[in-house]
Amino acid sequence: MRVPATNAATMQKVLITQRFFDDQAIALLRAHGCEPVIAELPPGEADGNVPPSTLLQWLHGASGWIVGHARVTRALLAELPQLQVVARRSVGYERLDTMAVHELGRVATIAAGANDPTVADLTIGLMLAVGRRLAEGSSNVRRGTMSIALGTDLYRKTVGIVGFGRIGQAVAKRLRGFECRILVHSPSQDADLARAHDIEYTDLRTLLSTSDYVSLHAPLNGGTSHLLCDETLAMMKPSAYLINTARGGLIEDRHLLKALRSGTIAGAGLDVFMSESDPGYCDVTRELASLPNVVTVPHIGASTREGLARSNMVAARCVLSVLAGQPMPDGCVVADGRAVSRR
């Protein structure tokens, strides 16, 4: 990428409303004629909780925005004619109005591929943690007892993967080391992928009724919202575990809470929750976290030093590519209205 002059008067402002944006990614932006501005988020809060009025103030004069969980709406974009590119430092984009991005002549990107191994590692970790009842065992030791909570193997179990994009494939690759039988439910079926990952495609009912572990890796949209609810949870085996490192809205958390309490399923490992987008579910999240057969973590799927460093660099390169009018990193563009803006 050609490095433009970096005179302060010509540098383009790039707002970053994400924590843990590292020095290497900041240096890359500066070396290519941008001035990164890192927003001061309230302690313990993400940009999804920042009011639109504050976002507008922060984004004044910005050409690029590296965003986390803030809602990128038509109304917000309309107030920011100078903003050319919105880059997510992750892969989900359900909070981003892609139609508005396109129609208003902007570009929206994701950090495709950057956190695949990081999320896949956590997925396996949650399978092991909930299956081996690590939270219960740790609690026993802290209480001064060596009482053993008898768990179950992941070795040679049947694992169902719902959604088979990059992360689902990375999970399947890791599961081969455990000699698992892997079932996949996906909107599309690829024979080459099936051979490469030694998987079996199947319908959702068969996957749920057969699997010892069910792991969700589907995007959240109108067709997948509350995919796991009373009806589908009842299809699972009473000995099965449910893992979600994708999006909270894939599960109806109230129904999951009921299924866990009643013994409909054996347990769950959860990195994401409905309460992240709907505060009305905060009590449900707390109740899920209190159950002995549930392992919960606070949406840390992509949050390792290495994973965030990769994501930061992809997001920065996306911003630079748009501002310089150069080709984008593969798989990163989710909305591109530049042709519209040139009409």
Side-chain angles (χ1 to χ4, degrees):
M1 184 178 291
R2 183 177 60 84
V3 180
T6 55
N7 184 295
T10 63
M11 295 183 79
Q12 299 186 80
K13 175 181 173 181
V14 176
L15 178 71
I16 301 162
T17 57
Q18 285 273 259
R19 301 185 191 278
F20 311 115
F21 204 80
D22 60 282
D23 291 344
Q24 188 175 2
I26 290 171
L28 179 69
L29 288 168
R30 285 181 175 154
H32 290 81
C34 293
E35 182 52 42
V37 176
I38 299 180
E40 294 186 12
L41 296 168
E45 292 193 16
D47 60 359
N49 299 320
V50 176
S53 58
T54 302
L55 290 173
L56 283 172
Q57 293 175 17
W58 289 350
L59 286 161
H60 178 73
S63 300
W65 180 14
I66 296 177
V67 64
H69 296 284
R71 293 193 179 279
V72 183
T73 64
R74 183 181 296 272
L76 187 71
L77 292 171
E79 295 289 330
L80 299 165
Q82 191 172 344
L83 185 66
Q84 298 179 48
V85 54
V86 179
R88 281 224 66 216
R89 193 188 64 179
S90 187
V91 294
Y93 53 93
E94 65 273 5
R95 294 189 176 199
L96 198 157
D97 188 335
T98 54
M99 184 175 293
V101 169
H102 183 267
E103 292 175 354
L104 293 174
R106 321 300 172 80
V107 180
T109 66
I110 57 173
N115 63 20
D116 299 352
T118 306
V119 179
D121 285 355
L122 177 66
T123 301
I124 300 298
L126 286 174
M127 289 181 187
L128 293 170
V130 71
R132 294 301 302 270
R133 301 172 66 179
L134 297 187
E136 294 172 78
S138 179
S139 178
N140 288 343
V141 174
R142 285 197 298 271
R143 291 199 308 267
T145 174
M146 299 302 287
S147 176
I148 294 175
L150 193 64
T152 188
D153 284 344
L154 177 58
Y155 175 62
R156 290 191 173 177
K157 289 296 190 294
T158 297
V159 179
I161 297 177
V162 180
F164 205 58
R166 292 180 302 268
I167 295 174
Q169 292 170 38
V171 170
K173 181 178 181 181
R174 285 153 175 76
L175 287 171
R176 289 204 302 273
F178 291 88
E179 299 182 22
C180 292
R181 178 191 178 198
I182 304 170
L183 305 180
V184 169
H185 176 66
S186 174
S188 59
Q189 299 187 8
D190 185 314
D192 291 335
L193 273 181
R195 284 190 293 272
H197 293 282
D198 193 21
I199 63 164
E200 305 168 43
Y201 286 109
T202 189
D203 59 275
L204 184 61
R205 177 180 288 274
T206 301
L207 182 146
L208 293 175
S209 63
T210 307
S211 297
D212 300 299
Y213 294 81
V214 174
S215 191
L216 304 183
H217 301 285
L220 179 61
N221 53 45
T224 61
S225 179
H226 295 177
L227 185 67
L228 272 292
C229 59
D230 278 339
E231 180 183 359
T232 46
L233 287 165
M235 297 175 188
M236 294 177 63
K237 300 196 297 188
S239 58
Y241 298 96
L242 177 62
I243 310 296
N244 191 5
T245 56
R247 286 291 180 267
L250 295 173
I251 302 174
E252 213 310 343
D253 282 357
R254 290 193 177 101
H255 296 186
L256 174 61
L257 180 62
K258 182 169 62 174
L260 289 162
R261 283 175 167 167
S262 67
T264 300
I265 63 173
L270 306 171
D271 183 40
V272 289
F273 308 89
M274 286 196 66
S275 58
E276 295 177 77
S277 58
D278 185 346
Y281 279 80
C282 287
D283 287 344
V284 179
T285 297
R286 283 190 287 270
E287 291 183 62
L288 284 168
S290 73
L291 296 179
N293 55 341
V294 176
V295 175
T296 55
V297 287
H299 203 153
I300 63 168
S303 297
T304 64
R305 294 181 182 87
E306 299 85 355
L308 290 179
R310 291 190 297 268
S311 298
N312 289 340
M313 292 299 286
V314 172
R317 290 189 181 106
C318 285
V319 168
L320 295 173
S321 295
V322 172
L323 297 182
Q326 296 185 356
M328 300 291 292
D330 289 344
C332 290
V333 178
V334 295
D336 188 347
R338 286 176 292 187
V340 174
S341 67
R342 290 192 290 268
R343 290 176 187 170

